[in-house]
Amino acid sequence: MQASGSQDRAIAQADEDLLASLGYKQEFRREFSSLETFGIAFSIIGLLPSIASVLFYSMPNGGPAAMVWGWAVASIFILFVGMSMAELASAAPTSGGLYFWTHSLSSPRWKNLLAWIVGYANTIGSVAAIASIDWGCAVQIMAAATLGSKDHGVYAGVVFSHAVICCLGTKVLARLQSLYVALNVLLCLAVIIALPAATPKEFKNTASFALGNFTNLDGWPNGYAFIMSFLAPLWTICSFDSSVHISEEASNAAVAVPWAITGAIAIAGVLGWAINVALAFCMGTDIEGIVSSPQPMAQIFFNSFGQKGALAVWAIIVIVQYMMGSSMVLAASRQSFAFSRDGALPFSNWLYRMNAYTGTPVNTVWFTCGLATLLGCLVFAGAQAINAVFSLSVVALYIAYAIPIAARFLGENSFKPGPFSLGAFSLPISAISVLWMFFMGIVFLFPSTPNASTAEMNYTVVVLFGTLILSVAWYYCPVYGGVHWFTGPIATVKDAPEDVSSMAESADGKKIRVTVGLQDV
């Protein structure tokens, strides 16, 4: 026990030294174990409730074939993105993450502007993720109701409660992640096993229908409709940068964070595919009827389990979706804390404060939840407007993901990998990742149908680019703009060592090495 305690202290000291080498002092308590660091990414993915929230994207754009094979195809590319991000996270595990890497790896001429853009894209993407998760939770709570303004009150209440939870101490928030992981896995396995067993014969489908039927209800050409169905897996297996944003609260972060990212994506890809296969075999052939129901997944469960069984399963789904929202608020608040630490957000002096009682950034928790509540007001513009937060979170985060991954190979830097490295595969995997994100970012700016009316417009382009244009305008604003004062990450420790390697010695004499190699840190 004594040796174990000494080793834990050695790892904690190595983490603190590593963070200092990046220019930041240790302000958080490192309470997240490797499992809990994995847990925050996996709980935000929240497989079953996430699939339930976005099933209306895959079902009308290819039916069961798109649900099954669209998920399989997209999961592979998402894993490539996660692997590329994991390399950067291992090299420089800090809460600033994406914009920190961008500034460190980009060419001197562009690094300030690109870091600024990435920081704001990451902020709006994280806020949109909160909005989409909590809106999904509100709709699931009122699954029998039609989408409308009355749901906004439930949504606001969910966001408010998440703000309260995320003001708790780091140890409490860390322990919650283990519970979230357990409930997620148990729920997935229960549905994968119970759904085929409970489904009446009239709703069971043949293999040729479940794996080969392509039903196109939205009107796009079949090939493009299949691509549109990717939004379901892309939104579900997203926000895995959440593990990055708790880097300063994670133990042995240079190892734990990258494996949390890749592990969460890989497990979600496999379990999610199994869930979609189960749904495809057990949803019957009336796809149009399911899509037109208030909540497609709830309708499938009702057909299979009956009213009481469906309500029991649905109650657990709502609980897991609620847990997803609290984890997303936690990650988003840490990203905003890091961005305000470097003075880039409005009211940064107020946002960059650590609550003395809880040891957490309470102000940024309320800041991110306040923005999410405002974003939820899109419901007053119609159902299509609020549904845009689902694609908004993907597109905004993909902008924030793609720039630092590309900068590693296009900027003027001498990147040195950390403990997690892809070696010779780094360049091809990163290239595929960036091209994939660029392509899908364009796809999800289009409306759900080719002949969209004003009410059916995809508001993603308005909200996202409106925000980015305003942020760039503020950057170039005369006298007061960021171009005059924003210089990227601001060191909070003095005399940070030039050698960005940290060595600690455990009680048994073994060395624990953590290596970071980003330039300009």
Side-chain angles (χ1 to χ4, degrees), residues 17 20 40 43 102 110 123 168 174 197 203 325 387 397 403 481:
D17 292 344
I40 190 168
S43 66
T102 300
W110 300 107
T123 300
L168 299 173
F203 290 109
N387 285 343
L397 288 176
I403 292 177

Side-chain angles (χ1 to χ4, degrees), residues 187-206:
L187 179 61
C188 291
L189 293 177
V191 170
I192 291 170
I193 296 170
L195 188 63
T199 301
K201 186 176 181 179
E202 61 266 26
F203 290 109
K204 286 186 176 179
N205 296 322
T206 62

Side-chain angles (χ1 to χ4, degrees), residues 59-335:
M59 289 193 69
N61 286 298
M67 291 166 58
V68 173
W69 303 119
W71 184 280
V73 171
S75 294
I76 295 171
F77 287 102
I78 296 168
L79 181 59
F80 284 178
V81 175
M83 293 165 68
S84 300
M85 182 185 295
E87 277 199 298
L88 299 177
S90 182
T94 175
S95 296
L98 304 168
Y99 82 87
F100 182 95
W101 306 333
T102 300
H103 191 272
S104 301
L105 297 170
S106 300
S107 300
R109 181 179 179 183
W110 300 107
K111 63 182 181 181
N112 289 345
L113 175 60
L114 288 176
W116 181 278
I117 292 173
V118 168
Y120 273 94
N122 199 183
T123 300
I124 188 62
S126 297
V127 169
I130 296 172
S132 57
I133 291 170
D134 283 3
W135 184 257
C137 185
V139 171
Q140 287 170 8
I141 291 172
M142 303 183 67
T146 304
L147 275 173
S149 60
K150 59 185 176 182
D151 289 344
H152 189 268
V154 177
Y155 165 76
V158 171
V159 175
F160 177 85
S161 64
H162 284 154
V164 173
I165 291 172
C166 290
C167 288
L168 299 173
T170 301
K171 178 178 286 189
V172 176
L173 296 172
R175 299 301 92 86
L176 284 173
Q177 303 311 314
S178 297
L179 173 63
Y180 294 176
V181 170
L183 282 176
N184 263 291
V185 173
L186 290 174
L187 179 61
C188 291
L189 293 177
V191 170
I192 291 170
I193 296 170
L195 188 63
T199 301
K201 186 176 181 179
E202 61 266 26
F203 290 109
K204 286 186 176 179
N205 296 322
T206 62
S208 60
F209 183 89
L211 303 179
N213 177 269
F214 193 93
T215 301
N216 184 354
L217 300 177
D218 280 348
W220 289 107
N222 286 348
Y224 191 76
F226 183 72
I227 294 172
M228 287 289 286
S229 75
F230 291 171
L231 182 56
L234 260 66
W235 183 83
T236 300
I237 312 177
C238 195
S239 298
F240 39 80
D241 60 310
S242 54
S243 292
V244 174
H245 300 311
I246 63 160
S247 293
E248 296 174 29
E249 299 166 79
S251 177
N252 199 14
V255 174
V257 172
W259 283 109
I261 294 170
T262 53
I265 295 172
I267 293 173
V270 173
L271 282 178
W273 186 79
I275 290 170
N276 276 284
V277 169
L279 291 172
F281 272 94
C282 301
M283 65 183 186
T285 58
D286 185 13
I287 297 176
E288 190 168 358
I290 295 173
V291 171
S292 62
S293 66
Q295 222 300 337
M297 180 81 86
Q299 186 62 49
I300 294 173
F301 286 167
F302 179 82
N303 294 341
S304 296
F305 295 120
Q307 184 179 29
K308 292 182 179 179
L311 286 174
V313 175
W314 201 253
I316 301 173
I317 288 177
V318 172
I319 292 171
V320 173
Q321 176 99 5
Y322 183 85
M323 293 173 173
M324 288 171 57
S326 68
S327 293
M328 190 64 236
V329 171
L330 170 61
S333 66
R334 278 22 176 197
Q335 188 274 335

Side-chain angles (χ1 to χ4, degrees), residues 351-432:
L351 292 173
Y352 177 46
R353 292 181 184 178
M354 192 71 73
N355 185 276
Y357 180 73
T358 64
T360 56
V362 171
N363 290 357
T364 55
V365 169
W366 288 104
F367 171 75
T368 54
C369 287
L371 290 181
T373 303
L374 291 175
L375 191 58
C377 291
L378 282 173
V379 68
F380 297 106
Q384 287 298 322
I386 190 61
N387 285 343
V389 299
F390 291 92
S391 54
L392 172 61
S393 62
V394 174
V395 178
L397 288 176
Y398 272 16
I399 290 173
Y401 295 174
I403 292 177
I405 292 173
R408 172 185 168 184
F409 297 98
L410 300 178
E412 299 173 14
N413 62 75
S414 54
F415 177 84
K416 298 177 185 177
F420 182 97
S421 175
L422 299 174
F425 295 100
S426 293
L427 178 57
I429 288 178
S430 295
I432 292 171

